[in-house]
């Protein structure tokens, strides 16, 4: 049967996850503590139903069965992250051999199942020791990260060719230093700017180390949550609001990572408000010389903004939101569980922007997905009938397909996520997986969307 949406040959079909959200075994196998272990120990009430990161999906023990499942539902690629504090428990220094064995086993098992591993080095999970030294506020921590990266390239670069330095680096900036949803719960824009800047320095140092390792066919990039900022109207005040939101939340990482330099307007806004980070001689060149080969795009929802209705309170801390208000567009389509708008065309707009303004860098959808509460409501004949997720994926894929037809360099689509996993402060509130998991027993069950996805992957389209 002729397919309406045929994807380019070799398209990457799969899903993504992260170490802290999936591995469990947080206090096993010689792993050191990271900020999530620590934050949960000190403030368990911050986490939905008081569930913390100790167990998560127990992938640490069940990876063989899970990888088999991935292969059964049509994965040809899978993005995981390595846990820095598992591999190097103190953040720098001694390497934990049990972790090396575990990651070797996972990588080998994926390859044996014809699933190409994409490996990300950092997914929100700062080793506790490193945080105690200042986390990304500390320049020394960027060196420790670069050493960790180099160790990973050496250990696994013989089999892994797709590498990513960071997942959504803006999120720890927002969560940890502006809006109080990640440890260390600081509210301070100038410290946030320093954290963002040092993350980019760490990225550039890791890319530099990668080039030195000369991994055959190796590519390195970064995964960004690109959230188009749509203005309420074409009024110049709304346009300005959307441009500034875009500078803070997208271009703050996209421009240096892909173009090798920060947008002038962002620098001048930060300068004007006394929020510029400390830099060192040679940084500019370091960033310029170490741009990404490949870009992962995480897309869940658009950002809609309008000009500010009221002047910001002069006694409130400086925030990006001093320049815009969020705009709730009447009639927008919502995922009411997660409280996020669904706007499928966003994926197309992102891709066209990459094509027109970012050299059409090789990219892929590295996360997209729909978190839904209490999915057991939808069980029929023992299977979760998540038709809403099928529709969500299908409609996004249609727009991705259109972007590809128009020449965008998109190579794949990964769902967030393979198995219902632990979502930081939201713990198990919203379920995103192709596979459901009973939090108590850890029993896995395949959802309807997974069977649908398998067909799409097999047919390379639908
Ligand atoms: C992304 C993160 C993931 C994942 C996902 C779902 O921002 O990269 O780690 O958690 O969002 O969002 P949430 O967990 O907030 O529902």
């Amino acid at each position: 049967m002729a397919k309406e949406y045929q994807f380019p040959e070799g398209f990457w079909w799969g899903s993504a996850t992260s170490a802290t959200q999936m591995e469990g075994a947080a206090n096993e196998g010689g792993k050191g503590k990271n900020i999530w272990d620590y934050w949960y120990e000190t403030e368990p009430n911050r986490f939905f139903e008081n569930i913390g990161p100790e167990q998560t999906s127990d992938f640490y023990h069940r990876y063989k069965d899970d990888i088999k499942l991935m292969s059964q539902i049509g994965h040809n690629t899978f993005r995981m992250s390595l846990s820095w504090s598992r591999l190097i428990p103190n953040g720098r220094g001694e390497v934990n051999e049990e972790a090396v064995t575990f990651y070797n086993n996972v990588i080998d098992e994926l390859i044996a199942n014809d699933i190409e591993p994409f490996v990300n080095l950092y997914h929100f999970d700062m080793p506790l020791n490193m945080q105690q030294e200042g986390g990304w506020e500390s320049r020394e921590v960027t060196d420790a990260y670069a050493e960790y990266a180099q160790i990973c390239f050496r250990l696994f670069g013989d089999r892994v060719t797709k590498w990513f330095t960071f997942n959504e680096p803006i999120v720890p900036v927002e969560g940890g230093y502006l809006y109080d949803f990640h440890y260390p719960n600081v509210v301070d824009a100038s410290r946030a700017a320093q954290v963002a800047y040092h993350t980019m320095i760490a990225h550039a140092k890791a890319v530099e180390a990668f080039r030195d390792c000369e991994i055959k066919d190796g590519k390195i990039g970064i995964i960004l949550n690109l959230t188009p900022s749509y203005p309420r109207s074409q009024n110049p005040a709304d346009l300005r609001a959307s441009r500034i939101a875009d500078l803070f939340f997208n271009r703050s990482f996209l421009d240096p990572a892909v173009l090798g330099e920060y947008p002038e307007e962002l620098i001048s806004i930060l300068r004007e408000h006394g929020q510029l980070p400390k830099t060192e001689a040679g940084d500019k060149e370091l960033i310029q010389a170490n741009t990404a080969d490949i870009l992962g795009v995480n897309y869940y929802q658009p950002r809609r903004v309008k000009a500010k209705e009221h002047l910001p309170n002069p006694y409130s801390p400086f925030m990006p939101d001093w320049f815009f208000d969020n705009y709730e567009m009447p009639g927008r389509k919502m995922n009411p569980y997660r409280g996020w708008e669904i706007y499928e065309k966003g994926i197309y707009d992102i891709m066209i922007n990459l094509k027109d303004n970012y050299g059409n860098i090789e990219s892929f959808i590295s996360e997209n997905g729909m978190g839904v509460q209490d999915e057991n409501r939808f069980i029929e004949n023992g299977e979760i009938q998540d038709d809403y997720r099928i529709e969500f994926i299908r409609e996004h894929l249609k727009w991705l397909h259109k972007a590809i037809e128009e020449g965008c360099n998109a190579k794949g689509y990964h769902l967030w996520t393979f198995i219902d996993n632990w979502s930081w402060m939201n713990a198990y509130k919203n379920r995103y997986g192709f596979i459901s998991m009973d939090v108590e027993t850890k029993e896995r069950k395949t959802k309807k969307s997974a069977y649908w996805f398998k067909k799409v992957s097999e047919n390379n389209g639908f």
Side-chain angles (χ1 to χ4, degrees):
M1 202 177 74
K3 281 173 276 332
E4 220 179 321
Y5 297 93
Q6 181 71 57
F7 284 82
E9 217 188 296
F11 205 70
W12 305 327
W13 299 104
S15 62
T17 191
S18 84
T20 306
Q21 295 178 273
M22 173 97 162
E23 286 177 8
N27 305 309
E28 263 179 74
K31 177 176 160 294
K33 281 196 201 329
N34 65 31
I35 52 173
W36 294 96
D37 303 314
Y38 178 77
W39 193 24
Y40 179 67
E41 266 170 37
T42 47
E43 285 192 280
N45 48 300
R46 289 274 200 148
F47 296 82
F48 184 70
E49 293 177 339
N50 286 310
I51 300 179
E54 321 99 303
Q55 303 293 332
T56 59
S57 310
D58 198 30
F59 184 71
Y60 190 75
H61 297 111
R62 298 169 194 249
Y63 67 90
K64 277 196 177 176
D65 290 341
D66 283 344
I67 291 170
K68 207 168 290 148
L69 265 178
M70 285 174 204
S71 141
Q72 282 165 9
I73 64 169
H75 281 44
N76 57 22
T77 46
F78 174 65
R79 191 248 300 188
M80 56 192 263
S81 77
L82 305 179
S83 159
W84 183 358
S85 64
R86 184 179 295 288
L87 200 67
I88 308 175
N90 292 319
R92 65 164 75 82
E94 209 168 317
V95 173
N96 169 17
E97 285 308 321
E98 280 183 76
V100 176
T101 305
F102 169 63
Y103 289 125
N104 270 331
N105 288 344
V106 170
I107 289 166
D108 291 344
E109 194 69 22
L110 284 164
I111 294 170
N113 281 277
D114 293 323
I115 300 169
E116 183 183 348
F118 289 15
V119 173
N120 169 37
L121 294 170
Y122 189 92
H123 198 126
F124 308 168
D125 52 353
M126 182 65 79
L128 185 57
N129 271 12
M130 295 288 95
Q131 188 63 46
Q132 285 166 342
E133 284 188 21
W136 297 120
E137 286 182 81
S138 149
R139 185 90 188 190
E140 286 70 38
V141 169
T142 69
D143 290 321
Y145 169 83
E147 277 163 40
Y148 153 64
Q150 189 177 47
I151 289 169
C152 296
F153 304 145
R154 294 231 167 96
L155 284 170
F156 312 116
D158 57 335
R159 287 150 293 157
V160 175
T161 59
K162 308 270 189 327
W163 289 89
F164 300 90
T165 54
F166 286 90
N167 174 80
E168 300 190 352
I170 191 77
V171 170
V173 176
E174 294 178 71
Y177 295 86
L178 291 172
Y179 306 125
D180 187 34
F181 62 90
H182 278 198
Y183 188 79
N185 310 96
V186 169
V187 177
D188 185 323
S190 69
R191 291 174 67 181
Q194 192 67 59
V195 164
Y197 182 71
H198 276 163
T199 308
M200 190 40 65
I201 292 293
H203 161 83
K205 287 180 179 173
V207 173
E208 192 175 48
F210 185 80
R211 307 272 183 244
D212 287 345
C213 288
E214 296 183 6
I215 290 173
K216 193 169 167 285
D217 299 327
K219 287 187 181 166
I220 190 159
I222 192 165
I223 294 161
L224 301 178
N225 48 320
L226 297 180
T227 308
S229 303
Y230 296 109
R232 168 182 57 182
S233 76
Q234 293 303 305
N235 184 295
D238 284 346
L239 292 176
R240 176 174 181 271
S242 99
R243 192 178 70 246
I244 296 182
D246 187 41
L247 282 171
F248 275 111
F249 297 109
N250 298 318
R251 297 186 59 195
S252 54
F253 281 97
L254 180 61
D255 282 38
V258 177
L259 304 177
E261 58 186 15
Y262 282 95
E264 268 311 317
E265 193 180 0
L266 179 61
I267 298 174
S268 69
I269 292 171
L270 292 178
R271 183 180 296 120
E272 192 185 324
H273 292 271
Q275 309 289 331
L276 274 183
K278 277 197 223 70
T279 61
E280 283 186 11
D283 282 0
K284 224 180 155 168
E285 294 72 22
L286 177 77
I287 291 173
Q288 218 149 38
N290 292 291
T291 52
D293 306 323
I294 178 170
L295 185 70
V297 175
N298 293 357
Y299 174 69
Y300 290 88
Q301 55 167 343
R303 180 190 294 275
R304 295 190 191 275
V305 298
K306 60 184 179 186
K308 269 215 106 53
E309 304 266 339
H310 305 285
L311 286 175
N313 170 1
Y315 301 107
S316 69
F318 174 84
M319 285 284 171
D321 324 49
W322 277 25
F323 302 92
F324 61 86
D325 279 343
N326 290 319
Y327 169 60
E328 288 191 9
M329 186 181 73
R332 65 199 178 134
K333 176 155 96 176
M334 288 295 291
N335 167 5
Y337 311 102
R338 187 62 181 84
W340 285 350
E341 182 180 344
I342 299 176
Y343 184 64
E344 300 89 346
K345 180 172 176 280
I347 223 164
Y348 169 84
D349 292 337
I350 293 169
M351 286 297 160
I352 295 292
N353 181 37
L354 294 180
K355 175 170 145 239
D356 291 348
N357 301 309
Y358 294 88
N360 209 12
I361 181 171
E362 179 175 354
S363 70
F364 70 113
I365 297 302
S366 41
E367 285 182 31
N368 176 233
M370 187 177 179
V372 173
Q373 263 172 281
D374 304 325
E375 282 196 298
N376 285 343
R377 280 174 295 164
F378 305 113
I379 293 185
E380 268 170 45
N381 305 323
E383 181 186 277
I384 293 175
Q385 305 294 309
D386 55 344
D387 293 276
Y388 44 83
R389 183 167 290 106
I390 295 175
E391 183 188 321
F392 182 97
I393 301 171
R394 195 203 302 117
E395 295 310 306
H396 281 87
L397 281 174
K398 286 182 185 172
W399 282 105
L400 183 61
H401 185 266
K402 181 171 161 61
I404 294 169
E405 274 189 334
E406 292 176 23
C408 295
N409 197 7
K411 297 290 174 66
Y413 177 92
H414 283 179
L415 186 80
W416 183 268
T417 180
F418 169 60
I419 198 168
D420 289 345
N421 65 21
W422 185 81
S423 265
W424 318 109
M425 277 171 80
N426 278 333
Y428 287 99
K429 187 172 177 191
N430 303 297
R431 306 303 184 93
Y432 284 88
F434 280 131
I435 310 283
S436 73
M437 188 188 78
D438 182 309
V439 176
E440 296 302 319
T441 64
K442 305 278 183 291
E443 190 197 351
R444 275 87 160 128
K445 276 196 189 148
T446 307
K447 302 180 195 174
K448 182 176 178 183
S449 57
Y451 295 113
W452 176 81
F453 191 75
K454 176 188 165 72
K455 271 203 223 113
V456 173
S457 163
E458 279 169 3
N459 296 328
N460 206 30
F462 56 94

